Amino acid sequence: MRLLAPACAALALLAAPAAAAETSSAGEAGRIDGVRVWTLPDTPNGLHPSQSWHATGSAPNGDLYVAGMDHRTNAALYRLAAGTDRLRLVGDARSASEAARNWEPGETAEKFHTRPLWFGGKVYVATMDRSGLDDGYLSRRGFHWYAYDPAADRFGDLSAAEPGGTGLPHGGLVALAADPASNAVYGAVVPTAEIVRYDVARGTTENLGRPAGYDRPYVYAGRFMFVDSRGRLHVSAGHPGGAAGAPGAGAGRDASPYSHLHAYEPGRGMTALPDLALAQPRALETGRCFPERRACVAADDEGHVYRFSEEGPAWTFLGPVARDRPGARLWMFQVTADGRRAYAATTSYDPGAGPAALYEVDLATGASTRLCSLADLDPRLGRRTVHTGSDAWDDRGRFAFASFAADGSGDVLLTRVDPVRLKAALAAR
């Protein structure tokens, strides 16, 4: 049951918010100095977070955000405020949509797969209710936009004011990027790899389509995309032999549409960028941009690292990050504020392969140095096989990432690492 909202969506967050719950956790010190670990708390309406897909981010003031989900029914957003050790639930999809009378009987929100995006004083996430690259998404309701206002401590369903109560009739979002010049948020759609644009002032979503070269109906959309200072959105998608659970182009198919980036530019539409070539035709998964330097660093799930500079523009392949086991994926990649280093950990679906390792990557030389096992940070991390997180840094130079079991059993752990203190502790040992 839903009630059509006649008001402007820009007011929906304040008019019909979901009350923030007080569920929180103080976390625990890790095994080694500079590390602290939290278990994502359950929500009052019964969600037990068991997964967290690419859903860790931060705000300019150093607040950290992480989303937790059960991949079946609901997803929630948590905040670790700068200068504190208190991880707190700020809202969940179902509660926010029920408060806005925009939750239908039997509806689910499997994930907030999007990295929490800070933009214009709020944190944006969106739902993805089905991951499969097939037509099964047509049986589900489309995605909802949500925003958290930290000043008002309110988490609300922005899509309640849109026609039909969703951004699109069907499909979910897997990545977000902001365009300050046009006051808009872009989203990448699963399973079609279309791009949508949410006009923040008007509270409306527009489907912009996708690059014409994509040669199949369902495409693995990149989990990281970015907007340059000229307002061009850069995207990647659909790689042969793709990430776990994502079918590739297949035998006999042309991989060239996925061997480089594409751009969407307002007024011009989609454009192929063959000069921004990829070492392999693989979608970008993680990254960080530096607007003041007009540059970005990005990586795919096999650890191929790239640097983008608007001067030129230039797109440079920096080399691969070392992986601790064959077939492992790289979904945790944290680039430092100076852009000189990154910290990375791999994911393996083989629970018998042992704990993943934490690496420091020199982005000038491409060299990777193994710092320690993740189990050295906290023994519980040794029992988690999936590690995700990108561009999640607080105001003290500490990064955060999420860890969970690939089969969805158990809890989600959020780990915050001070790399300076950690390296000093490791050296002392």
Side-chain angles (χ1 to χ4, degrees):
M1 176 179 65
R2 67 175 292 270
L3 178 66
L4 289 175
C8 174
L11 300 177
L13 178 64
L14 300 180
E22 292 302 324
T23 305
S24 63
S25 168
E28 301 176 17
R31 173 183 280 178
I32 192 167
D33 186 48
V35 177
R36 194 167 189 86
V37 182
W38 292 262
T39 299
L40 268 57
D42 293 353
T43 67
N45 63 358
L47 169 66
H48 175 72
S50 60
Q51 302 181 38
S52 180
W53 289 98
H54 290 67
T56 309
S58 53
N61 72 338
D63 288 354
L64 293 168
Y65 291 89
V66 59
M69 59 221 69
D70 63 5
H71 212 296
R72 295 182 301 104
T73 65
N74 197 9
L77 182 67
Y78 302 81
R79 176 191 185 193
L80 181 59
T84 77
D85 289 333
R86 178 65 60 175
L87 179 70
R88 187 172 65 86
L89 171 71
V90 299
D92 68 272
R94 179 170 183 169
S95 294
S97 294
E98 287 178 337
R101 300 183 184 180
N102 191 30
W103 190 260
E104 295 187 350
E107 186 171 4
T108 56
E110 286 191 355
K111 306 184 215 179
F112 288 150
H113 198 305
T114 56
R115 175 185 173 274
L117 175 71
W118 173 270
F119 180 60
K122 297 181 177 65
V123 178
Y124 291 82
V125 292
T127 52
M128 183 168 73
D129 198 42
R130 194 176 185 280
S131 306
L133 299 185
D134 54 44
D135 63 3
Y137 78 106
L138 295 172
S139 67
R140 308 289 184 93
R141 198 177 181 208
F143 67 86
H144 298 235
W145 293 102
Y146 297 88
Y148 172 63
D149 182 343
D153 193 21
R154 291 177 175 177
F155 182 79
D157 181 349
L158 299 178
S159 293
E162 295 200 80
T166 58
L168 291 179
H170 305 286
L173 296 191
V174 75
L176 303 179
D179 180 13
S182 61
N183 194 27
V185 177
Y186 290 104
V189 180
V190 170
T192 59
E194 294 167 299
I195 301 299
V196 297
R197 179 181 181 274
Y198 180 75
D199 186 309
V200 173
R202 295 181 178 179
T204 57
T205 302
E206 178 185 5
N207 189 346
L208 304 174
R210 67 180 198 170
Y214 291 174
D215 62 347
R216 49 201 161 114
Y218 307 121
V219 174
Y220 185 91
R223 276 51 176 160
F224 174 73
M225 56 187 188
F226 60 93
V227 178
D228 66 18
S229 66
R230 294 170 57 184
R232 294 175 298 183
L233 174 72
H234 294 71
V235 302
S236 61
H239 43 72
R253 286 191 180 271
D254 180 13
S256 60
Y258 315 108
S259 63
H260 54 79
L261 301 189
H262 290 78
Y264 169 79
E265 186 171 357
R268 296 189 59 189
M270 298 287 182
T271 306
L273 302 175
D275 290 341
L276 275 60
L278 302 169
Q280 291 183 9
R282 308 186 71 83
L284 298 178
E285 296 275 343
T286 57
R288 180 176 185 175
C289 288
F290 305 93
E292 69 283 358
R293 300 201 290 270
R294 298 185 178 183
C296 299
V297 176
D300 67 18
D301 64 1
E302 287 209 341
H304 300 103
V305 182
Y306 306 89
R307 178 180 285 114
F308 170 78
S309 173
E310 287 191 49
E311 294 186 11
W315 178 255
T316 307
F317 175 48
L318 302 180
V321 176
R323 291 182 292 162
D324 51 358
R325 64 199 76 179
R329 303 297 179 190
L330 191 146
W331 292 330
M332 197 285 271
F333 187 65
Q334 305 282 359
V335 180
T336 58
D338 59 12
R340 297 178 180 178
R341 297 175 304 282
Y343 296 91
T346 55
T347 284
S348 172
Y349 285 98
D350 178 8
L358 179 65
Y359 289 90
E360 183 178 61
V361 184
D362 185 324
L363 295 177
T365 66
S368 301
T369 302
R370 186 184 187 277
L371 296 179
C372 61
S373 163
L374 291 187
D376 292 333
L377 306 183
D378 189 285
R380 293 171 292 176
L381 294 176
R383 299 189 292 272
R384 269 69 178 178
T385 53
V386 184
H387 310 283
T388 69
S390 177
D391 191 10
W393 293 84
D394 71 5
D395 58 334
R396 302 182 187 181
R398 301 176 292 193
F399 63 85
F401 63 95
S403 303
F404 54 95
D407 63 2
S409 63
D411 304 316
V412 177
L413 301 180
L414 178 70
T415 302
R416 187 186 65 196
V417 178
D418 183 326
V420 175
R421 289 171 57 188
L422 171 65
K423 288 187 288 184
L426 292 172
R429 290 171 58 181

